[in-house]
């Protein structure tokens, strides 16, 4: 029987399907379905056919992959992509040895981005975020999470979330929105963080009614919110029907990891200072560890999250850029894959699971994205690489040949030939 598809990809050297019935944890992160010489059929924006040969398949359009690697579109499960301004002036401060949290304490850091974001119009924020999303797409990312948190007041937090919603409607990238109103204590509330958290909680009904965010997140850190404050805040968000994410143990080891596990958060992010106990609890609660090694690299720290211990204890790991103007100004998830190999000592197989299947599950999109399986979104990357080992290995550049989003080629490498 012959089947007909809209688009057929043939002559693939390695087809990474990433097919999995759920997030992969521990040893299972080593699993990878590789179809050598595979073919992939797409119809109506969905994966329609996966196989070893195309004898039985007719297609309206064919792409000859000429022996290239094909994978699912990458999923970036932690970004702060909607913001005003930039923070290049902080680089010199960091070089002089002023730590990230000290810059924040002096009213810079996150608070300087808050000032710029408050001043920006919706249109300006939209255009700027759109530019960064275009760049992400060009690097092979087809689904991203986006956090608010540069408003810290009703008006600007809602503005940021509405920009994210517009981008979700109009941009080719799929965007998943998180409310991070509890990202820092604004100068007006320095003496009363509890009151500030109440004000952020008061926005949740409106956020829910307008469907502006699926997740609620908090920055649990020295000088920001304590574990106790975070727990009370997240508990209330959970009661209002939001799934939880947490910036946990990024800089100082406060115990945010244990808190994330005990609240049943969908993910706990950063985890550089996570304790043994915290790691154990993540495995038990099924909370996905979203690691952001690009941030550790950019902050110039020498100790990275303990990915090997996490995998040994059966935790599921996802990787993200943490794209933001302060601690990780990069849209390039391929670079993060290299840093994960070099600094987290993750294997190529673990890394691919972490930027596809597990990343999608970490943002509630596991059933739509992150895998090439019949019926799922046809989000596909064709790479200028012969095999999957090659991407983390050859670092700092863009290996994308073509990005296909919902079955359509949306970005293509431009070849300049004399
Ligand atoms: O703007 O610095 N860590 N939040 C928590 C950030 C980094 C983003 C920023
Ligand atoms: Zn973050």
């Amino acid at each position: 029987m012959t089947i007909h598809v809209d688009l057929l990809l043939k002559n693939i050297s390695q087809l990474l399907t990433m097919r999995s019935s759920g997030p992969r944890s521990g040893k299972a992160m080593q699993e990878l379905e590789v179809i050598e010489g595979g073919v992939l059929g797409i119809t109506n924006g969905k994966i329609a056919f996966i196989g070893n040969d195309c004898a039985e398949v007719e297609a309206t359009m064919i792409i000859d992959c000429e022996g290239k690697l094909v994978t699912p579109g990458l999923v970036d499960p932690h970004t702060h992509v909607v913001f005003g301004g930039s923070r290049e002036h902080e680089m010199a401060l960091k070089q002089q040895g002023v730590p990230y949290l000290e810059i924040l304490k002096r009213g810079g850091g996150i608070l300087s981005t808050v000032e710029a974001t408050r001043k920006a119009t919706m249109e300006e924020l939209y255009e700027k975020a759109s530019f960064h999303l275009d760049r992400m797409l060009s690097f092979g990312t087809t689904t991203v999470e986006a956090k608010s948190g540069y408003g810290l007041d009703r008006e600007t937090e809602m503005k940021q979330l509405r920009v994210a919603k517009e981008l979700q409607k109009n941009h080719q990238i799929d965007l998943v929105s998180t409310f991070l109103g509890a990202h820092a204590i604004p100068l007006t509330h320095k003496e009363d963080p509890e009151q500030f958290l109440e004000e952020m909680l008061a926005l949740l009904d409106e956020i829910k009614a307008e469907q502006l965010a699926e997740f609620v997140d908090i920055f649990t850190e020295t000088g920001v919110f304590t574990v106790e404050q975070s727990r009370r805040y997240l508990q209330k968000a959970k009661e209002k029907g939001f799934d939880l994410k947490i910036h946990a143990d990024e800089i100082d080891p406060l115990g945010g990891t244990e808190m994330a596990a005990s609240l049943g958060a969908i993910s706990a992010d950063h985890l550089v200072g996570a304790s043994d106990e915290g790691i154990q609890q993540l495995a038990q609660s099924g909370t996905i560890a979203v690691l952001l090694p690009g941030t550790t690299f950019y902050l110039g720290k020498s100790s990275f999250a303990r990915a090997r211990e996490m995998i040994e204890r059966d935790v599921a790991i996802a990787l993200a850029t943490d794209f933001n103007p302060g601690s990780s100004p990069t849209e390039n998830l391929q670079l993060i894959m290299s840093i994960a190999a070099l600094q987290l000592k993750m294997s190529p197989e673990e890394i691919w699971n972490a930027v596809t299947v597990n990343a999608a599950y970490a943002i509630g999109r596991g059933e739509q994205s992150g895998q090439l399986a019949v019926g799922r979104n046809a989000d596909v990357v064709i790479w200028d690489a012969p095999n999957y080992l090659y991407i983390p290995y050859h670092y700092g550049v863009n290996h994308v040949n073509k990005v296909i989003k919902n079955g359509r080629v949306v970005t293509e490498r431009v070849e300049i030939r004399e």
Side-chain angles (χ1 to χ4, degrees), residues 398-417:
N398 188 2
H399 295 286
V400 165
N401 180 272
K402 287 182 186 61
V403 178
I404 297 169
K405 181 75 185 92
N406 296 321
R408 285 184 37 234
V409 177
V410 290
T411 134
E412 213 158 334
R413 184 171 63 84
V414 181
E415 279 185 64
I416 301 166
R417 289 208 176 116

Side-chain angles (χ1 to χ4, degrees), residues 80 87 100 110 150 183 219 247 250 324 326-327:
H80 305 247
R87 311 227 291 264
Y100 173 87
I110 296 172
Y150 292 125
H183 191 194
F219 191 15
H247 282 67
E250 172 181 353
N324 76 72
S327 62

Side-chain angles (χ1 to χ4, degrees), residues 263-310:
L263 288 167
I266 186 165
S267 75
D269 301 33
H270 285 292
L271 310 180
V272 178
S275 68
D276 289 346
E277 182 58 27
I279 291 172
Q280 193 65 45
Q281 290 180 18
L282 289 181
Q284 277 151 8
S285 66
T287 299
I288 297 177
V290 176
L291 303 186
L292 310 159
T295 308
T296 313
F297 165 73
Y298 198 79
L299 291 177
K301 302 270 164 112
S302 52
S303 46
F304 283 73
R306 295 186 294 149
R308 293 269 38 105
E309 278 92 336
M310 292 178 195

Side-chain angles (χ1 to χ4, degrees), residues 203-214 240-242:
L203 303 181
L204 291 184
D205 288 334
E206 206 175 339
I207 290 170
K208 191 107 213 152
E210 279 190 51
Q211 297 187 326
L212 290 176
E214 291 174 45
K240 294 211 180 269
F242 289 90

Side-chain angles (χ1 to χ4, degrees), residues 370-390:
Q371 301 184 34
L372 301 178
V374 172
R376 287 185 197 241
N377 295 346
D379 298 349
V380 186
V381 179
I382 304 173
W383 302 90
D384 280 318
N387 60 61
Y388 70 84
L389 303 175
Y390 197 89

